Amino acid sequence: MPEAKNSGRRHPREPLVKKIAALLVPRGSGEIYRKCRELLTESWGEPERESAPMPFVWTNYYEDISPELDRIFLSYPGLHPVSELADWKLESCRIEKLTGESRRVNIDPGAIDGARLLLASTKGQAQRVYLRGGIFCEVTLCRRKGRWESFFYTFPDFRSGAYDKWLELVREDWKREAKENSI
């Protein structure tokens, strides 16, 4: 069956979201972070918000990057169709490769709206839905009863609540922009 052609117009029911990037960078390596941020800015524009570095102590899975890592979040202005999430992940993989001969950062793009935090991944799991181009997506956190809530599969760092204040600021940005754009 032939693929449906996208007319370039967003379906009226497609959610508009805030674009974020969740970075893992070697602690104390400002040069690597600056290079990554510069590459992201070239692709996605100047970030609207940037979190302070937060120690990432939840797993040694990313030890190939560095034994000591910081999590830094960036959010971007505007509201974007959620269907672009796969493109953001493909671009983040390209940028990761530009940071050094071996991977020097981990970039997980995501999306925030009033109800959820979505994260894109190249790894399939039972809770992840295939989007396209080798990219999957999961609802990592949801908003319920006025707070962020996790699921059994949510990464421990996101489950901990350590990022909730920053995520809430971006959610408030989404709410303001959604109201301004009457969505």
Side-chain angles (χ1 to χ4, degrees), residues 164-179:
D164 288 3
K165 286 182 183 177
W166 190 86
L167 295 171
E168 191 60 24
L169 289 173
V170 177
R171 182 176 175 270
E172 289 298 320
D173 291 340
W174 175 87
K175 285 171 51 178
R176 177 184 38 77
E177 290 184 56
K179 185 177 181 180

Side-chain angles (χ1 to χ4, degrees), residues 43-109:
S43 289
W44 296 343
E46 191 65 34
E48 179 175 57
R49 289 193 184 273
E50 181 174 356
S51 75
M54 296 172 256
F56 182 81
V57 296
W58 308 98
T59 178
N60 63 359
Y61 182 81
Y62 299 98
E63 207 166 47
D64 62 317
I65 296 172
S66 175
E68 291 188 316
L69 297 166
D70 284 327
R71 171 79 75 192
I72 300 173
F73 289 98
L74 303 172
S75 70
Y76 294 87
L79 298 179
H80 306 270
V82 72
S83 60
E84 295 176 359
L85 184 57
D87 294 329
W88 304 341
K89 183 60 180 176
L90 292 167
E91 179 66 3
S92 73
C93 291
R94 184 188 74 78
I95 290 171
E96 284 179 4
K97 291 176 184 171
L98 295 175
T99 62
E101 285 187 34
S102 64
R103 182 167 74 149
R104 302 300 300 140
V105 298
N106 181 72
I107 307 169
D108 289 319

